[in-house]
Amino acid sequence: MTKEVSYFKDPHVKRGTEIDQDWNDNYGNEQRTSDNSVYTGSILEHLLIQHLTGFYEVGDHNIYRLRGADWNDALDMANDNGESVAFTAAYSGNLMDLASLIRLLESQTGTDSVEILEAYTNQCRHNVTGRKIRISLSELALNLIQKAAWLRQHLQKQEWLDFDEHEGCYNSYYDNSGKPTDGYYNDRMHMMLTGQVFPIMNFVATDEQIRKITASADHYLYRQEIGGYRLNTDFKEIKTDLGRMFGFAYGEKESGAVFSHMTVMYANALYRRGFAKEGWKALKSLADTALNFETSRIYPGIPEYFRADGRGVYHYLTGAASWYMLTMVTEAFGVHGKAGDLVLYPKLLAEQFDDKGRASITVQFADKTFHIHYDNPNQKDFGKYIIKKAICDNQEIDITDDAFAFITKDKLTELSDDTHEIIITLA
C-alpha cells in the first residue's frame, strides 16, 4: 500500500464533468506536477482519493450520485438527480475494509503515518502542486470508520422499507425526479435485487432485515423455472427519468431477467452474513437451469442472463462464473486467506456432503497445493456443527472458536512443494 505509482491523466476532469482544455497528446497519460515532472502517490493515496471523492459527491438525499449509471449501465437517464443507494452501501463496506487494511499496515510494518496529496478537485484540474502532508495511520483509519458507520446508520434510518412483519427491503435508487424506486406505489410492489445485495454484503442490513429481504425476494423476484432471482419486479412503466432498461420488454436483459452476475453476488452476500441455506438456493437455481438444456438451450455454463422463458443469453459471462467459483471456494468451502494465513471456515449444508459424509476440494494457496476434506459423519447443516479436529499431513493445526481452522503464514512457508492433505472433522 505504500508503493508509489503514477496517476492516469486525460482531458476529463472533476470526476468526468468538465474538460481540461490545456491537455493534449504531448502531455501524455500520466498526471504531472507544476514543474512538469510525473506525480506519483502511494497505492493507499489512490484508494483514498477514489473513495473520498465519492463520499462527498452526494445528491439531495445524502446518497452517492448515480451519475450516468453504476453497476447497471442501463440506468443511464438520471444524471442530474439520480442517486445509488446500492453503491452507497457498497462504499460503506469499502471504507471499513480500507480502515482495516490501514490498521494492518500499521501493526505489521511499524509505519505510523503516510504522505498524501495536499489538495484535489479544482487544484488538480491540469497539474498538481505535488505537495504532500503527513497524516497518522491511526487517525486516518478512525476517520474512515466514522464515515462508514455514518453511512450505515443513514441507510438504515432512511432507506429501509418495512412491508409487514415478515417482509421488507432497501430502496435501491432515486430517479431523476428524486423519487425512490422501491416500495409500494402505483398499485403494485416495486423491488430491485441490486439494492438488497450491497446492504447485505457490506453489513448495512441487520440479520432481521436480511430475513425480511430474503422473504421478499422469494415472494416478488424468485422464479425457479427460469433460473431464480429476477433483477427487478415489473414496474409497468417506461422510466425515462432513470434508464433505458425500462424500455426493454420485461424479462429481457436488465429489465427483470434473471441476471446471473447479481444473483451470484446476492448468494455471495448471503453466505458472508451466515445465511448459507439462502445463498445456496440462489446458486443452485442458476446451475440447475443452466444444466437443463430443454430450458436453457445452451451448453453448460453461466450466461449473462436467463430471459423470461428461461433461455440462457449471451453465453458465457465470465464475471458471474468467476463470482460463482469465488463463492463456492471462499464461502461454501470456506477456504480463504487473511493477512497471509490460510483460514478454513466451512458453510456447507448437509446436502452438499456425499453419502459417506465427506465434501472435498483441491485448491492452491501461497504457491502450495492442498487437498481439503471436510468429514461430517452426523450429516449436520451449517450452524449446527463445529470443527472438532483439524490436521494437515497428520499434524494437528490450530482451531479457534470451534469454527475456524488455520495455518499461519510462517507455517505455510515451511511446507514443502508437495501436495498437502487437510482433513477437517465436524461434529
Side-chain angles (χ1 to χ4, degrees):
M1 291 178 73
T2 58
K3 181 181 178 181
E4 297 268 325
V5 291
S6 62
Y7 285 81
F8 176 77
K9 170 68 176 174
D10 68 4
H12 300 284
V13 294
K14 299 189 75 172
R15 292 176 62 76
T17 61
E18 295 185 15
I19 296 295
D20 176 7
Q21 300 293 344
D22 295 325
W23 182 90
N24 56 42
D25 289 339
N26 293 329
Y27 185 102
N29 292 118
E30 290 184 295
Q31 178 67 58
R32 295 181 177 275
T33 64
S34 52
D35 65 3
N36 206 38
S37 60
V38 173
Y39 176 78
T40 61
S42 66
I43 291 175
L44 175 57
E45 181 185 280
H46 284 245
L47 292 170
L48 287 170
I49 288 176
Q50 290 166 0
H51 284 82
L52 294 179
T53 50
F55 180 84
Y56 288 110
E57 189 184 22
V58 296
D60 291 341
H61 302 88
N62 236 347
I63 297 297
Y64 284 38
R65 287 186 59 196
L66 177 59
R67 289 178 156 272
D70 59 2
W71 170 87
N72 187 342
D73 57 78
L75 298 176
D76 57 352
M77 302 174 74
N79 191 56
D80 296 326
N81 300 310
E83 298 171 68
S84 175
V85 177
F87 264 38
T88 304
Y91 271 72
S92 74
N94 288 355
L95 290 170
M96 197 65 78
D97 288 344
L98 187 53
S100 297
L101 289 172
I102 290 170
R103 287 184 164 178
L104 185 65
L105 172 67
E106 185 176 27
S107 65
Q108 291 200 346
T109 67
T111 304
D112 62 2
S113 63
V114 289
E115 289 185 329
I116 60 174
L117 189 63
E118 185 177 19
Y120 189 68
T121 316
N122 287 327
Q123 286 85 349
C124 70
R125 183 182 183 89
H126 183 59
N127 287 333
V128 296
T129 64
R131 291 194 302 269
K132 296 184 180 183
I133 59 173
R134 182 163 289 277
I135 185 169
S136 160
L137 287 178
S138 295
E139 180 183 344
L140 190 57
L142 178 60
N143 184 279
L144 296 179
I145 290 170
Q146 290 171 336
K147 285 179 168 60
W150 185 90
L151 285 174
R152 289 177 178 178
Q153 292 169 6
H154 179 59
L155 292 170
Q156 289 172 351
K157 182 179 179 180
Q158 179 175 281
E159 304 302 335
W160 174 252
L161 305 170
D162 257 323
F163 300 161
D164 55 39
E165 60 180 320
H166 302 296
E167 296 181 355
C169 79
Y170 273 90
N171 176 43
S172 300
Y173 299 96
Y174 289 93
D175 60 27
N176 215 38
S177 303
K179 297 178 181 178
T181 54
D182 295 55
Y184 190 86
Y185 57 91
N186 294 340
D187 298 322
R188 62 190 314 104
M189 185 62 73
H190 300 71
M191 183 178 179
M192 304 181 82
L193 186 61
T194 310
Q196 318 318 313
V197 169
F198 292 105
I200 295 172
M201 182 179 291
N202 294 283
F203 292 83
V204 173
T206 65
D207 285 354
E208 179 59 27
Q209 288 174 342
I210 294 174
R211 281 187 277 272
K212 289 190 172 185
I213 288 170
T214 55
S216 299
D218 285 348
H219 182 179
Y220 296 106
L221 301 176
Y222 186 73
R223 281 189 61 193
Q224 182 179 4
E225 68 275 15
I226 63 167
Y229 294 95
R230 287 182 151 179
L231 198 55
N232 54 273
T233 56
D234 189 354
F235 279 42
K236 296 289 186 181
E237 61 176 314
I238 300 176
K239 286 185 64 62
T240 55
D241 59 355
L242 187 53
R244 70 178 188 274
M245 63 171 273
F246 296 96
F248 304 150
Y250 185 66
E252 296 293 329
K253 297 175 73 66
E254 290 89 350
S255 181
V258 175
F259 221 82
S260 298
H261 198 182
M262 192 51 64
T263 299
V264 174
M265 292 175 73
Y266 178 56
N268 183 278
L270 290 168
Y271 268 106
R272 288 192 193 190
R273 299 297 301 275
F275 289 76
K277 182 178 180 181
E278 293 82 356
W280 177 234
K281 178 180 178 179
L283 292 180
K284 191 173 187 300
S285 296
L286 276 182
D288 287 348
T289 303
L291 293 170
N292 181 359
F293 180 77
E294 294 304 314
T295 298
S296 66
R297 313 302 294 180
I298 57 174
Y299 291 115
I302 305 296
E304 182 181 26
Y305 66 89
F306 294 97
R307 67 188 193 187
D309 61 358
R311 182 168 188 144
V313 183
Y314 296 139
H315 185 308
Y316 173 99
L317 183 63
T318 55
S322 299
W323 270 81
Y324 200 116
M325 292 297 295
L326 175 75
T327 303
M328 288 303 300
V329 173
T330 63
E331 295 294 340
F333 281 90
V335 183
H336 61 279
K338 185 173 184 180
D341 298 342
L342 172 61
V343 181
L344 305 172
Y345 176 38
K347 299 174 186 172
L348 294 162
L349 303 176
E351 66 185 83
Q352 293 172 305
F353 294 85
D354 65 20
D355 55 3
K356 296 181 180 179
R358 170 167 279 195
S360 302
I361 186 172
T362 299
V363 299
Q364 291 233 325
F365 187 89
D367 295 323
K368 314 289 183 184
T369 301
F370 295 92
H371 291 322
I372 301 171
H373 308 285
Y374 292 107
D375 289 335
N376 184 10
N378 298 316
Q379 295 286 355
K380 293 182 178 180
D381 266 328
F382 169 70
K384 302 295 185 181
Y385 53 69
I386 63 171
I387 295 181
K388 181 180 180 181
K389 186 177 182 180
I391 60 173
C392 177
D393 299 336
N394 296 316
Q395 299 291 321
E396 288 197 9
I397 57 178
D398 294 324
I399 301 172
T400 184
D401 297 331
D402 292 332
F404 303 87
F406 63 94
I407 303 175
T408 65
K409 180 180 179 180
D410 290 340
K411 290 183 178 179
L412 286 170
T413 60
E414 296 173 0
L415 294 177
S416 70
D417 292 331
D418 297 331
T419 298
H420 303 277
E421 185 175 54
I422 296 176
I423 300 176
I424 307 290
T425 303
L426 307 174

